[in-house]
Amino acid sequence: MDGQAHAARALWNCLHDWWSMLPKEKRCLAAADAAIRQARKEIDWLGMLPAQAAQAVLKTYFQAWRNCWDGRVGAPTFKVRNRTVMSVDIPQGRDLNITRVHRRWGMVNIPKVGRVRFRWTKELPVGKRARGDDRITGARLVKDALGWHISFRVQILEAGPEPHTGPDVGIDAGVNLPLALSDGNHQDHGRPPRLADGTADQGKWLNPPEKAKLLGLERRAARRKQHRGRGEKTSRRLQHTYDQIKQLRAKATRRAVDWQHKTTTYIAERYSIVVVEQLHIKSMVKSARGTIEEPGHNVVQKSGLNRSISQEAWGRTVTMLAYKTARQGGALHKVPAPGTSLRCSACGSTTPGSRKDQATFVCKNPDCGWSGNADWNAARNILHLYRRGHALVPAAGRAVVRRPRGVKPATAR
């Protein structure tokens, strides 16, 4: 499977190089398909990749250009070996021949690999569980630091959801409190507080023994890196230490995504209208270092805050809420973000000095004096903006409720 994944990455790079050098009038799907067939005959290691998987690389590449032309993403680029997720696509479900061994394990046939055992974590339309037009249309193999995983593409015919009858809720995404809800039903993953110097805790999803192990591995990698000369190849011991660090970080990422899936599913099932802020996260995590002429201030504290924002993955949470609320018959709306954390949710006034610190809000209006959690106050303001008709209209031609590429459902190991 490693060989197939490297062959798929190399095929993408060759296809991108071929596309860039070919004149525009000769670029077409048929010419690309003929070039791939000829390359698989002449290059032995490209033949390691199954023909259907090679066709899937071609379709994915053309779809990447369509997304670029539509303005959704940038132009496709070369896939670097060390920074590319290893993956292989199996586009035809009839080649899988899935059988269930017992409750926890199943067997699947992977082309040019053979029968492979996988962990059965979700019901699949196989055997007696296949109803009507329900079927498996394909699969995708993905490798991370913890090993290979398989995700099945399943086609299931379901009736449209009934309109959700639950209440409305506003959600404010924060650092100390991950998701603050306007009705007080806050969602917290139990992460420890930030460190004394203002930086974020790197191992917030790891238990104390795992945190100690991660710290020891990072120190070991730093010591071994000192003995490597400039331009020298990484030693096997140092690479092994890097692999161990990646495994711990991948475990933390898996736990974070699991918490996001469970929390967003709970919110989508309970509430009909979910309102969030329109956040520009890329601008929020900019460095405060500044330039030589105008150096920045509180660079270390801002760096820790940027790291905490990135680790919370607010954009992924909003993406999950978008398609899960639509699946439950609800809807997700966005409102402008400026002023939601500084305005009092009780009287509606913005008084200087009301935001005492990161966690407390005390209204300085003499006629009000409301006090409470700052994130809860912002969540109430977000819902109030939606009820007053300040919801943002999505851009034309873009799907709002579709689960986009990169956000996957629960996968089987």
Side-chain angles (χ1 to χ4, degrees):
M1 289 192 288
D2 287 348
Q4 290 189 16
H6 286 303
R9 179 189 57 82
L11 182 61
W12 172 285
N13 292 338
C14 293
L15 184 61
H16 182 68
D17 202 7
W18 172 87
W19 177 274
S20 303
M21 293 188 299
L22 206 65
K24 292 185 178 180
E25 59 274 8
K26 295 184 179 181
R27 298 174 182 175
C28 62
L29 189 63
D33 180 58
I36 289 177
R37 292 176 182 270
Q38 186 66 22
R40 293 184 71 252
K41 292 180 180 178
E42 297 178 355
I43 304 176
D44 296 337
W45 51 268
L46 275 183
M48 183 183 302
L49 188 68
Q52 297 296 333
Q55 295 296 322
V57 173
L58 175 60
K59 293 179 181 178
T60 304
Y61 182 77
F62 269 74
Q63 184 61 41
W65 274 113
R66 294 190 189 98
N67 296 337
C68 175
W69 296 331
D70 294 340
R72 291 194 289 267
V73 295
T77 58
F78 283 92
K79 292 187 176 182
V80 185
R81 179 185 180 96
N82 297 332
R83 295 192 299 269
T84 301
V85 178
M86 298 179 63
S87 62
V88 180
D89 200 2
I90 306 176
Q92 294 185 354
R94 65 171 183 266
D95 298 334
L96 298 174
N97 191 18
I98 301 172
T99 57
R100 188 164 188 172
V101 179
H102 51 79
R103 183 176 61 89
R104 300 183 63 183
W105 294 94
M107 297 290 292
V108 61
N109 183 51
I110 299 177
K112 293 196 174 184
V113 175
R115 301 290 290 173
V116 178
R117 186 179 67 167
F118 69 94
R119 183 71 175 270
W120 198 289
T121 58
K122 197 171 185 178
E123 293 299 331
L124 299 173
V126 178
K128 297 181 180 180
R129 296 187 178 273
R131 300 173 299 174
D133 296 332
D134 297 353
R135 60 191 181 93
I136 296 177
T137 60
R140 186 174 181 83
L141 297 167
V142 181
K143 185 180 182 181
D144 62 6
L146 298 176
W148 280 97
H149 310 271
I150 184 168
S151 301
F152 296 101
R153 288 189 294 269
V154 182
Q155 175 181 305
I156 299 177
L157 186 62
E158 294 181 352
E162 297 292 335
H164 204 296
T165 58
D168 303 346
V169 67
I171 299 179
D172 177 70
V175 176
N176 292 324
L177 185 60
L179 296 179
L181 276 61
S182 58
D183 59 354
N185 186 20
H186 308 313
Q187 302 297 315
D188 191 1
H189 47 60
R191 59 161 291 182
R194 299 180 68 189
L195 301 180
D197 59 353
T199 60
D201 188 359
Q202 290 290 328
K204 63 180 180 178
W205 293 103
L206 302 176
N207 54 37
E210 291 171 340
K211 291 181 182 180
K213 183 179 179 181
L214 178 61
L215 180 60
L217 290 172
E218 290 177 343
R219 290 176 176 175
R220 184 187 304 172
R223 289 194 304 268
R224 291 178 175 175
K225 189 177 180 180
Q226 293 177 353
H227 300 283
R228 186 182 64 179
R230 187 180 182 89
E232 291 184 1
K233 187 178 179 181
T234 304
S235 64
R236 292 186 179 182
R237 290 185 177 182
L238 180 57
Q239 189 61 47
H240 178 65
T241 306
Y242 285 155
D243 293 340
Q244 290 179 305
I245 295 175
K246 290 179 181 178
Q247 290 176 3
L248 286 173
R249 291 179 176 174
K251 185 180 295 185
T253 302
R254 178 183 294 182
R255 292 172 181 172
V257 175
D258 178 73
W259 179 85
Q260 285 182 312
H261 270 293
K262 292 178 180 178
T263 305
T264 52
T265 300
Y266 168 78
I267 294 174
E269 291 176 350
R270 180 167 181 174
Y271 302 99
S272 59
I273 300 296
V274 179
V275 189
V276 297
E277 293 177 302
Q278 178 69 36
L279 297 176
H280 300 281
I281 302 177
K282 187 175 181 180
S283 300
M284 295 173 62
V285 297
K286 284 186 177 180
S287 176
R289 184 176 303 173
T291 60
I292 298 178
E293 294 78 10
E294 297 180 0
H297 303 282
N298 298 327
V299 179
V300 177
Q301 290 79 359
K302 185 61 169 63
S303 177
L305 179 61
N306 294 345
R307 196 180 302 113
S308 299
I309 294 175
S310 301
Q311 289 174 355
E312 291 298 336
W314 295 338
R316 187 168 56 196
T317 301
V318 173
T319 301
M320 292 180 182
L321 284 172
Y323 74 85
K324 289 184 179 182
T325 50
R327 184 180 298 171
Q328 297 293 334
L332 176 76
H333 297 278
K334 296 182 179 181
V335 296
T340 55
S341 61
L342 302 177
R343 188 184 309 114
C344 178
S345 59
C347 64
S349 62
T350 303
T351 308
S354 297
R355 188 70 181 267
K356 296 184 64 176
D357 51 30
Q358 187 68 23
T360 308
F361 183 93
V362 179
C363 184
K364 295 299 182 179
N365 187 356
D367 299 332
C368 179
W370 182 89
S371 62
N373 183 273
D375 295 332
W376 181 32
N377 175 74
R380 296 173 61 182
N381 287 328
I382 291 170
L383 181 60
H384 184 66
L385 285 176
Y386 167 75
R387 290 175 174 174
R388 295 196 59 184
H390 292 281
L392 300 176
V393 179
R398 292 194 181 187
V400 179
V401 299
R402 183 184 63 184
R403 176 168 53 82
R405 183 179 304 170
V407 178
K408 305 174 184 177
T411 58
R413 183 181 179 184

